[in-house]
Amino acid sequence: MIFEDLTREILGCCFEVSNELGIGFSEEVYEKSLMVALHQKGLEAQRQVEINVFFRGEKVGTFYADVIVEGKIILELKAVTSLINAHTAQLLNYLKASNLQVGLLINFGNTKVEHRRYDNRFHQQR
């Protein structure tokens, strides 16, 4: 599995945030807290990273990735009761547009962090 060790480190930070904060905060609070935890582990992470969407060579839109870690893994964070298919579709679209290889869908909305890992089947070497 590509980036297995990095994925494990990221998820460890997510569990730390969840254990310390508990449930009930907004997605933004979890995002900012996760940034603190990632940076304290020595990981490079950026939040609200602008990524352009292209169609046939034309820019047709922009989205903002919640977090990108080490320029390799995109994180889509949620603070909801349960994840739905639309959340998965959102992350898969972000993976395709960003051309990053791995994405993590992370939900802080329950007593235990819910997470799903996705590999980018559209990834192209640049």
Side-chain angles (χ1 to χ4, degrees):
M1 186 165 49
I2 190 166
F3 306 136
E4 185 174 0
D5 292 339
L6 180 55
T7 299
R8 189 177 304 111
E9 282 190 85
I10 293 167
L11 291 176
C13 290
C14 292
F15 292 126
E16 290 175 15
V17 168
S18 177
N19 289 339
E20 290 180 42
L21 290 181
I23 61 172
F25 290 102
S26 69
E27 182 181 306
E28 182 180 21
V29 169
Y30 292 110
E31 181 179 303
K32 289 179 178 179
S33 299
L34 183 57
M35 292 297 294
V36 170
L38 291 167
H39 287 146
Q40 287 179 349
K41 295 283 186 196
L43 297 173
E44 177 193 323
Q46 298 174 300
R47 63 186 288 268
Q48 296 303 311
V49 178
E50 182 177 311
I51 298 178
N52 295 317
V53 179
F54 291 89
F55 178 75
R56 297 182 182 171
E58 299 286 331
K59 180 181 170 187
V60 295
T62 302
F63 75 90
Y64 293 88
D66 288 341
V67 178
I68 295 180
V69 180
E70 297 288 321
K72 297 176 182 175
I73 299 179
I74 190 168
L75 310 182
E76 179 59 28
L77 307 180
K78 300 294 178 192
V80 295
T81 305
S82 61
L83 294 172
I84 59 174
N85 290 339
H87 298 142
T88 299
Q90 180 183 20
L91 177 59
L92 293 175
N93 286 334
Y94 288 1
L95 274 174
K96 185 176 182 180
S98 70
N99 199 41
L100 293 175
Q101 291 180 271
V102 176
L104 296 174
L105 179 58
I106 301 165
N107 182 23
F108 290 98
N110 291 310
T111 54
K112 292 176 77 174
V113 173
E114 184 179 4
H115 59 89
R116 298 179 188 165
R117 177 195 160 102
Y118 297 93
D119 292 332
N120 184 356
R121 63 186 174 115
F122 300 103
H123 175 73
Q124 298 174 2
Q125 295 294 332
R126 291 186 181 174

